[in-house]
């Protein structure tokens, strides 16, 4: 079976005027405007003129875009109408190449599985991990070059998230890049460079399974520890998990916490440079860090959307949606919706109701790792403030070619010591 | 004005005057009682306004509703007296209510 190869070329909206383009030509899922950082006016146009928008033709088929905050809340309260199955990305993948992950399951299966693993990232366990994570942060920050330009994404965002994953899993430290590699494989679109087919991805993920099974056996034979694998190996509800389910949950934890946190680390530096008065507020009052962390996560919106699939014919915002239709809930748009968020186009680290954003989704699938992500960013910024007056952006960021993961490959910076 | 007592996990008590018609979550936020995040602003879809109802008040406060139940159910600290405070409306009936806050919201 041929895997779908996605080609985007002709329908790029880059350079087009969002306010005059015919609505039917808007294809938000096209990565072009996301990489070019030109997506915001298109989101604003749809929120105003066609908040539940149908894109009839796209390289990945027809789909709906939901762009208002309240409409997404409505959908998320009704998982029996708007299903997370078969998948939460826009492309359908053949079932034989799909790992069982509760992010792509509906109740009751979703609830059962989430309940068995959520303890591992619960706040009480995070307390045990915070010290180790802080050590890693300090080592990385102290090794950075002073007074010279370097890529923040490679030296800090990527390195730190990889090390944090290694810490969480107590993964052999020298081999930590395997984690990032598997994460990249699990999200790779065949034909886009890393792999050529879903078969190939799946074969590589089997190596990942073998590796983790070995760690699992080691940890199961030892006294219970604080790392995620030990917790899964000793937990009453998880110790007899079938291998594919174990792999699905591991990959979900690796992927869930990788690009999202990485790009929030980069996005925060960028935002503080674009809003120097906010950077000053932060220096004057480091107690704003937790609030700033929430604002960074809103501002970055590391995952632009999640997909649902209509289970039955239904209606949303006056539009008729047919059973089987794909619907993208654009968090990147909801987070800029002034019906709910005051002055949404400004980055304000001390805004009211700062936690009320949709970057973590909402409802029963609301991000299970949200406290972990916030803790990582909080610790990082606490240590940055101790050391540097400013992480100064000295060149243009390079954004990735994706409408799903909002992220960066490059951010040239220079450190200004305190 | 019904008087409500919220007890933080560390034992700190907050006795506050609540307004009829506000939710218990709104009451806590208005009086800056720490320990309730209310990330969804009261839409019953985040679960971060979790509280434990004092046993003596369970009958008056009542059971979780049909939208609240699935959100509560995913909370690892869920107990028999768990409720989401955004789903409890303040009324004279609840004058004297005592609730405890969890150590963490999830
Ligand atoms: C800033 C960082 C993060 C962002 C923006 C983010 C975003 C999201 C979003 C939007 C969802 C909802 C999916 C849906 O509704 O279909 C989600 C779910 C999830 N996230 Fe995160 N995430 C982040 C960090 C993490 C971390 C660090 C972990 C690692 C433990 C993680 C693990 C998960 C899991 C397991 C789910 C599935 C929950 C379910 O289906 O019940 N996430 N995340
Ligand atoms: S405030 Fe979100 S569930 Fe109560």
């Amino acid at each position: 079976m041929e895997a779908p190869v996605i080609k985007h070329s002709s329908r790029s909206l880059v350079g087009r005027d969002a306010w005059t383009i015919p609505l039917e030509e808007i294809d938000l899922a096209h990565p072009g405007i996301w990489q070019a950082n030109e997506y915001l006016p298109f989101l604003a146009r749809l929120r105003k003129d066609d908040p539940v928008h149908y894109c009839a033709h796209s390289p990945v088929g027809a789909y709906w875009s939901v762009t208002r905050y309240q409409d997404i809340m409505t959908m998320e309260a009704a998982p029996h109408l708007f299903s997370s199955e078969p998948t939460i990305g826009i492309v359908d993948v053949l079932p034989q190449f799909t790992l069982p992950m509760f992010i792509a399951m509906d109740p009751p299966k979703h609830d059962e599985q989430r309940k068995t693993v959520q303890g591992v990232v619960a706040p009480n366990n995070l307390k045990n991990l915070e010290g180790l994570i802080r050590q890693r942060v300090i080592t990385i920050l102290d090794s950075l070059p002073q007074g010279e330009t370097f890529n923040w994404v490679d030296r800090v965002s990527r390195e730190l998230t990889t090390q944090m994953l290694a810490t969480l899993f107590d993964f052999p430290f020298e081999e930590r890049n395997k984690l990032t590699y598997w994460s990249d494989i699990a999200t790779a679109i065949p034909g886009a460079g890393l792999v050529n087919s879903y078969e190939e991805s799946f074969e590589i993920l089997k190596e990942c399974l073998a590796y983790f099974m070995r760690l699992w056996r080691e940890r199961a034979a030892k006294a219970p520890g604080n790392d995620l694998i030990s917790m899964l190996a000793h937990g009453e509800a998880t110790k007899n998990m079938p291998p594919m389910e174990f792999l699905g949950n591991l990959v979900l934890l690796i992927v869930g916490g990788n690009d999202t946190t990485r790009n929030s680390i980069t996005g925060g530096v960028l935002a503080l440079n674009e809003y120097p008065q906010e950077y000053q507020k932060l220096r004057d009052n480091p107690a704003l860090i937790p609030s700033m962390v929430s604002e960074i996560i809103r501002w970055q919106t590391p995952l632009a959307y999640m997909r649902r699939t209509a289970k039955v014919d239904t209606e949303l915002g006056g539009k008729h949606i047919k059973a089987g239709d794909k619907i993208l809930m654009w968090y990147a748009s909801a987070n800029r919706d002034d019906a709910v968020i005051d002055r949404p186009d400004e980055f304000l680290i001390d805004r009211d109701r700062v936690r009320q954003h949709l970057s973590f989704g909402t409802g029963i699938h609301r991000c299970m790792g949200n406290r972990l992500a916030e803790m990582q960013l909080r610790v990082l910024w606490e240590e940055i403030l101790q050391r540097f007056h400013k992480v100064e952006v000295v060149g243009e960021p390079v954004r990735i070619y994706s409408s799903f993961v909002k992220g960066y490959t490059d951010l040239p910076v220079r450190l200004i010591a305190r | 004005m019904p008087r409500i007592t919220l007890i933080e996990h560390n034992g700190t008590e907050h006795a506050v005057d609540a307004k009829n018609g506000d939710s218990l979550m709104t009451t806590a936020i208005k009086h800056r009682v720490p320990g309730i995040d209310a990330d969804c602003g009261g839409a019953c879809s985040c679960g971060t306004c979790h509280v434990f109802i004092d046993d003596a008040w369970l009958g008056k406060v009542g059971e979780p509703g049909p939208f609240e139940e699935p959100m509560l159910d995913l909370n690892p600290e869920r107990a028999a007296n768990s409720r989401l405070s955004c789903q409890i409306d303040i009324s004279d009936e609840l004058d004297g209510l005592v609730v405890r806050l969890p150590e963490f919201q999830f």
Side-chain angles (χ1 to χ4, degrees), chain A residues 76 84 88 102-105 110 114 117 121 165 168 228 249 252-258 260-261 264 297 301-303 305-308 329 331 358-362 364-370 372-374 376-377, chain B residues 74:
Chain A
E76 290 295 64
S84 289
I88 43 82
F102 59 83
I103 197 170
M105 294 177 190
H110 161 270
R114 174 163 171 152
V117 296
V121 288
L165 278 177
L168 293 173
L228 302 192
N249 280 304
L252 181 55
L253 290 170
I254 296 173
V255 172
N258 192 25
T260 51
T261 315
S264 301
I297 293 169
T301 316
L303 298 174
Y305 69 82
M306 285 283 161
R307 163 184 158 189
R308 298 293 184 258
M329 306 179 292
Y331 305 133
L358 282 184
S359 295
F360 289 129
T362 190
I364 57 168
H365 289 280
R366 185 168 177 275
C367 180
M368 192 182 90
N370 76 92
L372 171 59
E374 290 174 351
Q376 296 180 358
L377 288 165
Chain B
L74 289 172

Side-chain angles (χ1 to χ4, degrees), chain A residues 330-352:
Chain A
W330 291 94
Y331 305 133
S333 174
N335 279 343
R336 298 297 185 113
D337 186 345
D338 64 7
V340 178
I341 298 172
D342 284 341
R343 297 155 71 191
D345 291 323
E346 291 170 56
F347 176 76
L348 298 171
I349 67 172
D350 54 354
R351 64 165 60 247
D352 280 345

Side-chain angles (χ1 to χ4, degrees), chain A residues 213-232:
Chain A
M213 289 306 272
R214 187 161 60 71
L215 293 181
W216 166 286
R217 279 191 294 272
E218 283 169 24
R219 307 279 156 88
K222 283 199 249 166
N226 283 331
D227 65 277
L228 302 192
I229 300 174
S230 179
M231 279 190 245
L232 292 172

Side-chain angles (χ1 to χ4, degrees), chain B residues 25 38-49 84 86:
Chain B
M25 177 278 278
D39 290 0
C40 75
C44 197
S45 42
C46 70
T48 67
C49 63
L84 294 179
C86 68

Side-chain angles (χ1 to χ4, degrees), chain A residues 9 34 73 77 92 108-109 133 149 207 210 331 345 418:
Chain A
S9 51
W34 297 86
M73 295 297 285
D92 287 321
K109 195 103 215 284
I133 286 179
T149 299
E207 294 164 19
Y331 305 133
D345 291 323
R418 253 161 65 107

